[in-house]
Amino acid sequence: MPPATVEVSDSVVQRLVRDHRPDLGDRSLARVANGWDNATFRLGDDLAVRLPRRPEAVPLILREQRYLPDIARRSPVAVPVPIHAGRPTSDFPWPWSIVRWVPGAAAADVDPADRGPAAEALADFLLSLHMPDETGIPLNPFRGVPLTDRDGAVADRLGDTERYPQAAALRAVWAQTCAAKTWDGPAIMLHGDLHPGNIILADDGSLAGVIDFGDVGAGDPAVDLAAGWLMFDAGARQRFMDAFGSAVDEDTWLRARGWALILATAMLSNSDDNPRMFALGEFGIRQILEL
């Protein structure tokens, strides 16, 4: 995980909230996540504060502030819609947000065998999200691009045959998915980082919400459909796929499997210090190879 350029303490966040939203200043505050890009603090029972950890994450916060209100109006499940766009201060140099808290457990912390009840609802969420972009959202330069744009990164990762003893089989999958027809439809609104760490489940395994929209952008919807391999075993994945009906064609599902390979290898190759993400990558590789 990249180091933080700015580490914020509970006391700094409490001051930000009291200065900007004095009506919320007496709420309890607790750090709940310290990710690659953002630190997240729970504010009372139903809100959270999100702050960039490094300058590269500032555009992600701004994208969430701009696009999540419209996404929330369409979404059948909860999303962390901003209720306050915080300004830089002498305590903190960048924009930050107060958002709705999405209760539940991250699917990454739930046994894969227990994630199946979310399959159809996750498809419904993506059907609500995957509309032709009419808001001028920029193309995502890394997600939703043609698979061949990521060929170099995949080749580099699979060159590590100690980490990837299945490299030959994965290269065969990669070649098959790259041969699929490229996306030639309109640019579609994407979540851009849809994996079990950003999918929230209720106690019964049903879908409670989706979080972390910092990579929201426009492009090929196959990148979000890769969640079928990162999230579900074969049976639940088939139900996830069936729920889209004719809305998704065979070539798009092929590209989605390729995106699952991109994302799973990224998790495995870059998460030696993060066992949670490493385990997600291992699960994704097994599903891609249908082991």
Side-chain angles (χ1 to χ4, degrees), residues 222-234:
V223 67
D224 286 347
L225 301 177
W229 285 264
L230 302 175
M231 176 80 175
F232 301 121
D233 60 21

Side-chain angles (χ1 to χ4, degrees), residues 117-142:
E120 289 86 358
L122 186 60
D124 287 343
F125 164 76
L126 287 175
L127 286 167
S128 78
L129 178 69
H130 284 174
M131 299 292 179
D133 174 53
E134 296 179 352
T135 60
I137 189 171
L139 296 175
N140 189 310
F142 303 108

Side-chain angles (χ1 to χ4, degrees), residues 104-107 110-122 199-209 231-232 236 239:
V110 173
D111 190 291
D114 297 326
R115 299 174 190 164
E120 289 86 358
L122 186 60
I199 296 169
I200 305 299
L201 303 181
D203 290 343
D204 62 359
S206 61
L207 184 65
M231 176 80 175
F232 301 121
R239 291 192 288 107

